[in-house]
Amino acid sequence: MTGKGLPKRQRLMGVWLLLSGISLLGGAIFAAWLDAQLDLSGIARAALWLGSFSGGMTIFLVGLLLERMLFTPLRHLQAQLARWVANPDAQDENTPEGWLKGLGPDLRRLSQSWRADRSRLATAHAEGARSASRIRQELETLLQVLETPLLLCDRHRRVMLFNQAAENFFAGNTGLGLGKRLDALLPTATLANAMAQLPDDGSPREMLAPSDQRWLKVVIRRVPGSERETLVTCSDATTTWNNEMGVRAELNHLLPPLRQHSASLSSAADALRQIPPSETSLELRARLEQVVHDESQALNKHVAEIGSLLDDLQYHGERLRPIWSNDFWQSLDERLDPAHRLITPIGVPAWFKGDAPALIELFDSLVDHLRCHLPSSGFEGEITLNPKRAYVDLIWQGSPVPEGELTIWREHPLTTLPLSPSVADILRQHATDIWSVADADKRHARLRLPLPTIAQTQAPRELAPPRPEFHDFGIAQLPAPDEALASRALRCLDIVAFDTETTGLELRRGDTVISLGACRIVNGRLLANDAFDHFVDPKRAIPAASTVIHGITDADVAGAAPLETVLGLFRDYIGEAVLLAHNAAFDMLAISNRGVDFTMPVLDTLLISKALDEALDGHDLDTLAKRYDLHFPPGTRHTALGDARVTAELWLALLPRLEARGIDTLEELLVLQANAFDKEDASAP
């Protein structure tokens, strides 16, 4: 053994065969010379030649014995120990062999004791942290249901928590992510200055900040008793400003002339009362009556305008929110009869505007009140659009509901709503009414409720399930951003693992990227849903031989963004992180010299694995995944994002082995990685 561990198998075999060959050749030369000198024959001559070859044969046989009985079992033992260090729960695939066979029971006992200790430790940890876990789960649940976008930043303005509402609010903004600076999300010096001057008692500060095409109202406050963490909440101020400059501004503009007309009417009325009836006063009275008439007309006009504006305010009321028709029918169906499906949506789904809880209660009350007129077998629900209204229709086979029944129902109180409003109050809130009509086929009837429509036509995007990595309070313990990156602990690194798929392997001869995928590791943890995955237009045909490997066809990349655009988005995604790849030389060559600078440090799991296990064969991704019990989900091998995620898991498996050897900082790892680089083994084109 050497200071670096076992020599490579090829070197041992080379030395062994060389020594055997030299011994055999030397023995043959010696036997030939001695045979010529002594002129032996018979048994003596045979003994001479056999004795001369005995040294080489002994070396060959001893080497073969050592390889089978010692060196091969040692390599298997080394691989098993590496597997245990990376994953203590991995199965014992390599049972000790040869002269190490006697270690089998001891190793099994060691493995069982190790697992038993881990189990006891996990049990003790779970019992001691049960209360904290319950509070954490309640906090996470609360954060997910909050409709207010919320972020929590550490003293260096790095995001250490955000909720689902914040992710939806900043959808498409690459500045949002755990560990990223708030400056990337809200790049304004005013916000940074205000955060630096926040009082420690939790008093809020409000300001406006631009973000994309919106103005945001940002409320910030220091978390009392913390290490200067800051709570940030955001809301879209653009709508409020438009409202202030729109309907409300017009109302404010109408108030002065309304007051003027009212004062003129009062003055004219007082003057009319004071004029005695006489012939001389007839002309004055006529003029005053004309003034009263004119002012009354003007007043009526302004009152009508104010009424129209108030209707607009009601039309755009804050409680009237966009509703997707399919969601509405499903919610109403669950309210009417949770055990059976009573409503079948038909037609084209659409958006309309309303107070969803109030409308659900309204239809529930309607069906209950008109049970004798409506069928029990079920309804059809349809949305019919016109330029200003969306008709919400409940359809059944039968006759229309009498208007008298609807009149009685309009006065019915909805006791399940706050303040128990009547049906008429809810209809008034929506500036609408409801009626029943017969269909043209004379066999069906419907209840029709007109509601405000909105311009949006696309279906609501499917929300991802709540993610476990919406927060990472350990981010607050990371070194300050301005500290030397070289001295950063490996577990404190913000790492982006990435991989590329290309049209071929000859990047210097025209092959280029067709897919780029990446994922993020923060504080030693792989974030499950924080991913970057983009196809790239190669501006050339993809060879069939390459498609066989990665499965990407010309149709897949048709209409995709060019490489320069995708690399710009990728650079924004990286932020201040360190890059990680397997055989990074190839992937870095694929994205370099394309107009986007990637000057951050780059880690290579291929070189790290070679540095740790120089004597072991096989450092490709498939071999290492098998060695460390990592798995590719079906269909993800040779996809950019799939390979990037396995590379990230491989890094987390190698990390404890690096720490066990005292490699704790980025600087130390880069030195180790550089020493492992072998130009003869480099597979980069």
Side-chain angles (χ1 to χ4, degrees):
M1 299 180 66
T2 68
K4 293 184 178 181
L6 285 173
K8 283 188 174 182
R9 181 171 179 268
Q10 293 86 345
R11 294 179 183 175
L12 280 176
M13 292 183 64
V15 172
W16 164 52
L17 293 176
L18 179 62
L19 290 177
S20 300
I22 292 175
S23 297
L24 290 172
L25 180 61
I29 294 173
F30 177 76
W33 175 78
L34 195 59
D35 188 25
Q37 294 293 325
L38 299 178
D39 193 19
L40 298 177
S41 62
I43 296 177
R45 187 179 185 188
L48 172 63
W49 281 93
L50 182 62
S52 300
F53 284 116
S54 63
M57 293 299 296
T58 301
I59 294 176
F60 178 83
L61 294 175
V62 169
L64 183 62
L65 180 66
L66 289 175
E67 172 63 19
R68 291 188 176 182
M69 302 299 290
L70 179 61
F71 292 123
T72 296
L74 280 175
R75 287 189 176 87
H76 290 169
L77 178 60
Q78 182 182 8
Q80 183 63 48
L81 290 176
R83 183 183 177 90
W84 278 342
V85 171
N87 182 10
D89 297 321
Q91 297 300 317
D92 306 343
E93 289 189 355
N94 295 320
T95 304
E97 309 165 313
W99 293 340
L100 303 183
K101 190 173 183 179
L103 295 177
D106 295 331
L107 288 176
R108 285 193 294 271
R109 178 65 179 271
L110 177 62
S111 175
Q112 293 169 358
S113 300
W114 193 349
R115 291 170 184 166
D117 290 342
R118 282 171 51 82
S119 177
R120 286 193 292 268
L121 181 61
T123 301
H125 181 271
E127 292 175 352
R130 185 171 300 159
S131 178
S133 176
R134 177 179 56 82
I135 295 174
R136 173 184 172 182
Q137 292 174 358
E138 293 174 352
L139 173 62
E140 291 180 350
T141 302
L142 177 62
L143 289 175
Q144 303 314 318
V145 301
L146 281 178
E147 295 183 356
T148 301
L150 179 148
L151 304 96
L152 185 65
C153 304
D154 69 355
R155 63 186 184 278
H156 303 299
R157 301 196 299 278
R158 294 177 298 204
V159 176
M160 52 192 291
L161 176 150
F162 62 92
N163 63 350
Q164 184 82 49
E167 185 176 59
N168 296 336
F169 189 76
F170 292 104
N173 193 322
T174 58
L176 180 65
L178 292 179
K180 292 189 176 181
R181 301 288 295 277
L182 186 64
D183 306 359
L185 191 63
L186 301 172
T188 171
T190 305
L191 179 61
N193 295 335
M195 292 183 68
Q197 300 173 8
L198 278 177
D200 294 329
D201 60 357
S203 301
R205 295 291 184 269
E206 297 183 4
M207 64 194 65
L208 289 173
S211 176
D212 297 330
Q213 303 299 320
R214 301 178 294 179
W215 276 93
L216 306 184
K217 178 184 177 183
V218 182
V219 180
I220 58 175
R221 66 186 74 207
R222 187 83 70 210
V223 179
S226 67
E227 296 182 1
R228 299 182 64 78
E229 282 95 2
T230 304
L231 185 66
V232 182
T233 57
C234 303
S235 60
D236 190 349
T238 308
T239 303
T240 304
W241 276 49
N242 289 338
N243 197 13
E244 293 290 345
M245 299 301 294
V247 175
R248 295 184 182 179
E250 293 182 36
L251 280 175
N252 291 332
H253 180 71
L254 286 175
L255 282 178
L258 185 62
R259 294 191 181 101
Q260 181 181 356
H261 294 312
S262 177
S264 299
L265 276 176
S266 298
S267 300
D270 290 340
L272 280 174
R273 285 196 298 269
Q274 295 174 6
I275 295 177
S278 64
E279 294 182 0
T280 58
S281 63
L282 291 179
E283 183 179 356
L284 178 60
R285 178 181 292 274
R287 289 201 303 268
L288 289 176
E289 288 177 349
Q290 185 63 40
V291 170
V292 171
H293 178 269
D294 293 342
E295 293 299 325
S296 297
Q297 292 293 107
L299 183 60
N300 290 336
K301 179 181 177 182
H302 283 85
V303 168
E305 291 178 358
I306 290 177
S308 177
L309 291 174
L310 288 175
D311 288 342
D312 287 342
L313 281 178
Q314 186 72 15
Y315 183 85
H316 298 287
E318 292 183 358
R319 287 172 59 186
L320 303 187
R321 302 292 182 86
I323 303 173
W324 182 243
S325 60
N326 284 352
D327 295 339
F328 175 76
W329 294 127
Q330 181 179 354
S331 300
L332 179 59
D333 207 6
E334 293 173 353
R335 179 59 185 270
L336 293 178
D337 190 349
H340 302 88
R341 184 179 179 86
L342 293 182
I343 300 179
T344 303
I346 63 174
V348 179
W351 290 92
F352 60 90
K353 201 170 185 181
D355 184 349
L359 292 176
I360 295 295
E361 294 297 333
L362 183 142
F363 273 98
D364 181 49
S365 168
L366 175 64
V367 173
D368 183 66
H369 181 78
L370 304 177
R371 193 173 298 277
C372 61
H373 299 278
L374 299 177
S376 58
S377 57
F379 307 88
E380 292 178 342
E382 184 178 22
I383 303 296
T384 306
L385 298 178
N386 73 8
K388 292 186 177 181
R389 290 280 176 167
Y391 293 110
V392 180
D393 293 341
L394 199 63
I395 308 169
W396 67 94
Q397 187 172 356
S399 302
V401 177
E403 180 60 28
E405 291 292 339
L406 291 177
T407 301
I408 297 173
W409 169 70
R410 289 187 183 93
E411 303 304 320
H412 184 74
L414 302 177
T415 56
T416 55
L417 295 178
L419 304 179
S420 298
S422 67
V423 170
D425 293 330
I426 300 302
L427 295 175
R428 192 178 305 112
Q429 174 197 355
H430 292 81
T432 188
D433 200 356
I434 193 168
W435 61 86
S436 182
V437 296
D439 280 4
D441 62 5
K442 305 301 182 181
R443 295 187 300 107
H444 292 82
R446 66 182 65 204
L447 282 163
R448 169 160 287 185
L449 177 67
L451 289 171
T453 186
I454 59 177
Q456 184 174 352
T457 58
Q458 294 181 345
R461 70 183 183 92
E462 184 177 352
L463 296 178
R467 305 182 340 197
E469 64 276 359
F470 270 120
H471 64 82
D472 189 343
F473 296 104
I475 290 174
Q477 307 303 323
L478 298 179
D482 55 355
E483 289 187 9
L485 185 62
S487 60
R488 186 81 58 87
L490 295 180
R491 287 193 179 273
C492 294
L493 290 176
D494 185 1
I495 295 176
V496 169
F498 81 103
D499 184 69
T500 60
E501 298 298 334
T502 61
T503 57
L505 300 179
E506 298 183 354
L507 297 178
R508 293 189 175 95
R509 297 182 180 179
D511 282 320
T512 185
V513 177
I514 55 176
S515 177
L516 177 59
C519 55
R520 188 177 298 275
I521 299 173
V522 175
N523 224 16
R525 185 175 57 165
L526 174 60
L527 306 185
N529 290 319
D530 191 340
F532 181 93
D533 191 15
H534 283 267
F535 281 128
V536 179
D537 182 4
K539 300 180 180 179
R540 54 167 292 184
I542 302 175
S546 298
T547 299
V548 170
I549 297 175
H550 47 57
I552 301 175
T553 64
D554 292 328
D556 294 326
V557 299
L563 181 57
E564 292 73 15
T565 300
V566 174
L567 289 182
L569 297 174
F570 182 47
R571 185 62 187 86
D572 292 337
Y573 177 79
I574 295 171
E576 300 177 2
V578 173
L579 282 177
L580 174 75
H582 190 79
N583 190 16
F586 180 82
D587 296 297
M588 290 305 298
L589 180 61
I591 66 174
S592 298
N593 301 319
R594 304 285 184 170
V596 180
D597 292 331
F598 296 94
T599 57
M600 67 289 296
V602 180
L603 301 179
D604 189 344
T605 49
L606 171 66
L607 297 180
I608 296 172
S609 176
K610 290 178 61 177
L612 291 175
D613 299 310
E614 184 181 0
L616 292 181
D617 297 328
H619 298 283
D620 59 278
L621 194 56
D622 288 306
T623 301
L624 293 177
K626 182 178 180 181
R627 183 176 300 166
Y628 292 104
D629 200 24
L630 310 177
H631 302 283
F632 293 92
T636 62
R637 182 65 175 111
H638 293 300
T639 65
L641 182 57
D643 288 358
R645 282 179 169 152
V646 172
T647 300
E649 293 177 355
L650 176 59
W651 160 258
L652 296 177
L654 294 172
L655 187 55
R657 300 193 62 204
L658 291 169
E659 294 173 336
R661 288 157 176 76
I663 309 298
D664 296 318
T665 66
L666 177 60
E667 182 179 21
E668 294 169 341
L669 179 56
L670 290 175
V671 172
L672 177 72
Q673 177 175 283
N675 292 336
F677 183 75
D678 185 350
K679 293 183 179 180
E680 295 180 358
D681 293 338
S683 57

